[in-house]
Each structure stands twice: as C-alpha cells, then as structure tokens.
Amino acid sequence: MAPGSQKKEKGVEEVDPTARLTDDILVDIISRVPYKSTCCCKCVSPRWRDLISHRDHREKMPQSILGFFYQGYNKFRFPKKARYFTNLSRQRYPLVDPSLSFLPNHHSHSLDILDGCNGLLLCRCWKATDPKTLDYVVCNPDTEEWLVVPATESSSKVSVARLGFDPAVSSHFHVFEFIDEEAWGIDEDERNDYCFGRIETLAIYSSKDGAWKYQTVECDPFVLPRNSVSAFLNGILHLADFHNFIVAVDVEGDNWWYIGIPKLPYNDADINDVFPSQGQLYFANSTTGSELSVWVLEDYVTRKWTLKHSVSLLQLFGTEYYSYADDYRVISIHPEHNLIFIVAGDKKILMSYDMDSMQLCFIRQLGSDCGVKLLGYGDNTPFYPHVPLFSLSLADGH
C-alpha cells in the first residue's frame, strides 16, 4: 500500500447524508441560516443551488438585493415616462414587474415611484378625476399588497416625500413629507432669501396611527434636492441637502441631527450619496475629484466619519474605461457586503465594485433613457434597491 493512502472497507461507500432529506426539509434547514451562509450553501452541490434559487422557495430564504427600480424618460416614445426593474442576476426578464399593474392607478403617466425601503415602495398616484390631486400608495411588489396613504393639503406641491420601514422592528411604516416654504403657503415676500426653498415643516404619517403628525423643523435651515437619496437606519431617516450636510430625523420628528459630510480634498462634491449598509450610515463621494472614497458615520453626537475605502478613478475604471471617470455615480451600497453599485457613461452602464477584492464587474447596460433631464432631475435618476419581502403583510392600524 502506498504511503499515506487509506484502505476503504469493503462494501462501504461515501454517501452524502443530506441526500436522504426531501427538498422541503432541506429548504427549511437552509432557510434558518444567515444570508451570507445561504450564499455559501449554493456552492455545496447543484441540487442545493437549484433549491435556493428556485422561485417557489424565495419566500423562505434570507434575501438580499434582487435588483433596482428606476424611471426613464424619452420624449420620442409614448408614454414618455416608463418604469423599469433591472436584475442583478443574469436572468433576462425582470424578476419583479415594474409596471406595478396590481395597483388601481398604475399607468406610467399617473404614477411615480418616490422611494423604496426594505422591500416596500412609496408611490405618488395622481387622481384621474382631478389630475392636480393625489394619494400616496405604499406597496409590496412581491406580494402585490398595497395601502393608500391619504394626502395632506400640501402633498400636490411637495417635491420630497420619503419612506421609513424596518421589517425587523415592525410591520408598520412611516411616510415623511418635507414641506417647503412655497408648499406651506408662505408669501413670497416673507420667504428666506438666504435659503431659497428651505424646508419649513415636516409631516409624518404613521401606518399604526393612520394619521399625519406635523413637526416644525428643529435644525438649521436646509433645502433638499427633489431626487435626494434617503437612507432609513435604526428608526432614523437621512437625506443629503444642497449645502454639504446630511439631515437626519427620527420617526416621531422629535430628534434632529445636522451632520457635515467628511472633509474632502476638493469642494464641489456631489453629496447626494448616503446609504445604509451593515447597520451603519455610509457616505460615498462621486463625480468630483480623482478618487472615489467611502466613509462610515461612527457617532451622531461627535459627527465623526471614518474612511472605509478609497480608490483612484484610474484604478477603478482602468485605462480602457477611464472616460467613465467624468460621468459616473454611486447609486447604492450592498446592505450586507462591501459592494458598491455604480452607473456610468452615456449608456448608463450598471456595474459593481468590490471594496475587498478591488474588482469592478460590469452587470448590464441600462440605456440613456434613465437620464431624465427633461423631468428636472438632471442625470441623478433615483435608483431604488429592492430586497424581496415575503415574511410580513402590510400593517394598517386604522
């Protein structure tokens, strides 16, 4: 016998102990492990991979980002506005129907997606009977459940409304309506010339109470871009304003934070990039300077940021794609991994960048329609990451 070799007993074969388990039992076992472990389980065998990926089992499995909702505009097409969903997987057809056809007023010209948060979407639906009035709708595109949120007297004039929802805490959600001076009805000659368009009042809707609550803004004057990305984390909503600050407020409207962005080696930063990831608030500068840097907020009291990662744009895109350095934007950060999602170039190429391996991966071409300048957004089309939500039903407390 050769050194180091082992003799198998006669008649004994190596058998996979899980082979005797039925598919239902195996799916139930895998569904009880964390998401990262579920990803590793896909590598065990073709059977495990297929079970985890099967559409019928997605409800039981821990979920991560499935893809992105976004809206496009093309003046040569009818309807001019369109909603899209792009998969992060290699599957050709959208895993979620972006038309939201289960909603009663789902047509492109009468419905806008305003925000997405942990599996739910906040939509603005203009009424067919009176195109100047609206309702908000919060829906789950996976279960096709939806609830109407009644509009306030200011809703038709409000540019920034956002959603707060954490299924780990409650099945209830909050809608935040940031009401500026004009929408609040302040006369033009009485408005703040120094901070034109400042937010005057915050209205918060609680699905548990079934009512709106109004709060006076308790921090320094601020102005929000209509396409400002929101980040909901630990019961706090965060948005970047026009003046290099991040505004944060809790779901009751009682506590406010006004947090300066990290000091960068240049001034004109595009600050519309705050994201929740791995239980912390992240800031990513983009479109300005010679590098991409990612920061983590360590403390709300001291406003301390820690640099997590930086990479030169030449190293990020390489010489072949360095032209993207003049036209790119961070649109999201993975909630569980050190993975950044970027859209770049005239054709809006969706790509991911792994901060650990420093590898850039091309996902797919989205097309120039998602640059909706004619709608007043500039090129900062909002992208809403979608994490499937099957475990909870929408809770309506009234």
Side-chain angles (χ1 to χ4, degrees), residues 12 30 33 151 201 237 243 271-273 294 334 336 375 379:
V12 177
I30 298 174
V33 304
T201 302
L237 185 76
H243 301 107
I271 65 168
N272 196 19
D273 300 304
V294 179
H334 197 285
E336 300 290 343
L375 288 180
D379 275 331

Side-chain angles (χ1 to χ4, degrees), residues 313-319 321-322 324-325 328 342 344 351 360:
L313 298 186
L314 179 59
Q315 184 175 4
L316 176 64
F317 294 111
T319 55
Y321 300 103
Y322 187 64
Y324 290 161
Y328 84 100
I342 296 170
M351 55 191 76
L360 187 70

Side-chain angles (χ1 to χ4, degrees), residues 72-82 84 368-372 374-375:
Y73 182 90
N74 188 327
K75 66 179 180 180
F76 301 109
R77 180 188 58 209
F78 183 82
K80 295 180 179 179
K81 283 195 305 181
Y84 301 95
S368 57
D369 283 4
C370 68
V372 286
L374 296 180
L375 288 180

Side-chain angles (χ1 to χ4, degrees), residues 37-297:
S37 299
T38 304
C39 294
C40 295
C41 289
K42 289 183 179 181
C43 302
V44 172
S45 70
R47 181 196 178 201
W48 286 40
R49 179 200 62 207
D50 294 342
L51 284 175
I52 294 170
S53 302
H54 197 283
R55 190 178 187 90
D56 293 344
H57 301 148
R58 281 168 48 198
E59 179 175 351
K60 298 180 180 180
M61 296 296 176
Q63 300 294 336
S64 188
I65 292 181
L66 188 68
F68 291 93
F69 283 97
Y70 65 98
Q71 299 182 131
Y73 182 90
N74 188 327
K75 66 179 180 180
F76 301 109
R77 180 188 58 209
F78 183 82
K80 295 180 179 179
K81 283 195 305 181
R83 292 186 296 276
Y84 301 95
F85 185 85
T86 185
N87 307 326
L88 291 181
S89 68
R90 299 298 180 183
Q91 291 182 258
R92 180 177 178 183
Y93 298 103
L95 296 174
V96 182
D97 180 7
S99 71
L100 305 179
S101 57
F102 59 91
L103 295 179
N105 194 14
H106 66 275
H107 305 291
S108 295
H109 64 277
S110 59
L111 186 148
D112 296 311
I113 298 176
L114 300 180
D115 200 11
C117 187
N118 291 320
L120 300 186
L121 294 176
L122 171 64
C123 302
R124 176 174 55 197
C125 299
W126 298 95
K127 295 182 178 180
T129 55
D130 184 357
K132 294 184 180 180
T133 60
L134 61 89
D135 281 321
Y136 294 116
V137 171
V138 174
C139 67
N140 183 334
D142 297 296
T143 62
E144 299 190 352
E145 294 179 284
W146 55 275
L147 289 174
V148 173
V149 175
T152 69
E153 293 182 359
S154 305
S155 294
S156 61
K157 299 179 181 179
V158 166
S159 298
V160 180
R162 298 294 180 260
L163 179 64
F165 172 66
D166 186 350
V169 175
S170 171
S171 57
H172 291 282
F173 60 83
H174 293 81
V175 177
F176 298 78
E177 197 176 66
F178 292 86
I179 307 174
D180 62 25
E181 294 174 303
E182 181 179 2
W184 191 239
I186 296 178
D187 293 335
E188 186 174 355
D189 56 354
E190 296 180 3
R191 296 175 194 168
N192 191 314
D193 294 333
Y194 170 75
C195 190
F196 180 76
R198 74 171 182 178
I199 301 301
E200 183 71 21
T201 302
L202 173 65
I204 304 175
Y205 178 87
S206 165
S207 66
K208 182 178 182 180
D209 300 331
W212 289 93
K213 173 184 177 182
Y214 291 86
Q215 290 282 20
T216 302
V217 172
E218 297 292 347
C219 63
D220 294 336
F222 64 93
V223 179
L224 296 174
R226 63 182 298 182
N227 59 332
S228 181
V229 176
S230 67
F232 188 72
L233 184 69
N234 300 324
I236 301 172
L237 185 76
H238 310 76
L239 301 99
D241 82 341
F242 268 123
H243 301 107
N244 292 357
F245 281 89
I246 293 168
V247 179
V249 59
D250 66 12
V251 294
E252 299 298 330
D254 295 331
N255 298 294
W256 293 78
W257 295 265
Y258 206 46
I259 306 166
I261 66 169
K263 292 184 178 180
L264 304 173
Y266 39 83
N267 293 322
D268 187 23
D270 180 354
I271 65 168
N272 196 19
D273 300 304
V274 286
F275 311 102
S277 179
Q278 302 175 72
Q280 293 181 288
L281 184 70
Y282 281 57
F283 164 83
N285 76 289
S286 58
T287 74
T288 307
S290 59
E291 69 177 22
L292 167 63
S293 59
V294 179
W295 302 73
V296 179
L297 181 64

